[in-house]
Amino acid sequence: MDDCIFCKIVSRESSADIVYEDDDSIAFKDINEQAPIHILLIPKKHIRSVVEIEEEDLQLIGHLVSVANKIADQTGISEKGFRLVLNTGLESGQSVWHIHIHLLGGRKMAWPPG
Ligand code: AMP
């Protein structure tokens, strides 16, 4: 997608603090961190949002969760806990239309979220 900032991070047209990459996914630090650990996990495939996930993408989404788990382990937040967030649509606050999982941790989280 030409005008997608996350696709540009995948193609290296835009820079990011990349912490993990494999054939199908990439993870980088959120530019506007909301917690001591705030990493975004994205598929390299451009999928606009959760509502556009198709049957063929299910393995890919599972893979992203597994990568999140791995990064949580590597950053030492697995035991204390962390939050995975998939904002979906305007009312959720989704601002980038390339599906992404926020991995947040390193502090006590509040509930309900704002
Ligand atoms: P959302 O509001 O769920 O769509 O989250 C989008 C996230 O992407 C926000 O937390 C932004 O801070 C983050 N973000 C936007 N552009 C960049 C970028 N170039 N590098 C890293 N994070 C970004």
Side-chain angles (χ1 to χ4, degrees):
M1 268 281 160
D2 287 351
D3 58 349
C4 170
I5 182 64
F6 287 178
C7 285
K8 286 184 175 161
I9 288 173
V10 171
S11 67
R12 303 299 201 276
E13 286 169 73
S14 290
S15 62
D17 193 345
I18 294 168
V19 299
Y20 175 88
E21 182 170 19
D22 61 32
D23 288 347
D24 302 313
S25 68
I26 191 162
F28 50 91
K29 290 188 182 172
D30 195 295
I31 205 168
N32 183 20
E33 288 175 326
Q34 300 299 318
I37 309 279
H38 187 174
I39 290 164
L40 300 175
L41 300 108
I42 69 166
K44 290 186 173 176
K45 175 181 176 183
H46 183 84
I47 302 171
R48 273 175 53 81
S49 85
V50 166
V51 296
E52 296 198 7
I53 292 172
E54 296 188 0
E55 189 80 28
E56 65 183 28
D57 302 320
L58 295 181
Q59 198 172 346
L60 183 55
I61 302 304
H63 176 65
L64 288 180
V65 173
S66 140
V67 171
N69 218 359
K70 202 178 298 183
I71 294 173
D73 190 37
Q74 285 165 358
T75 52
I77 56 173
S78 282
E79 213 167 297
K80 282 193 167 176
F82 55 88
R83 185 172 289 174
L84 300 182
V85 175
L86 266 160
N87 288 327
T88 305
L90 290 176
E91 285 208 349
S92 76
Q94 183 175 359
S95 60
V96 178
W97 296 87
H98 180 131
I99 202 169
H100 49 281
I101 299 178
H102 295 258
L103 166 62
L104 296 144
R107 67 167 169 82
K108 182 98 170 76
M109 302 282 161
W111 192 265

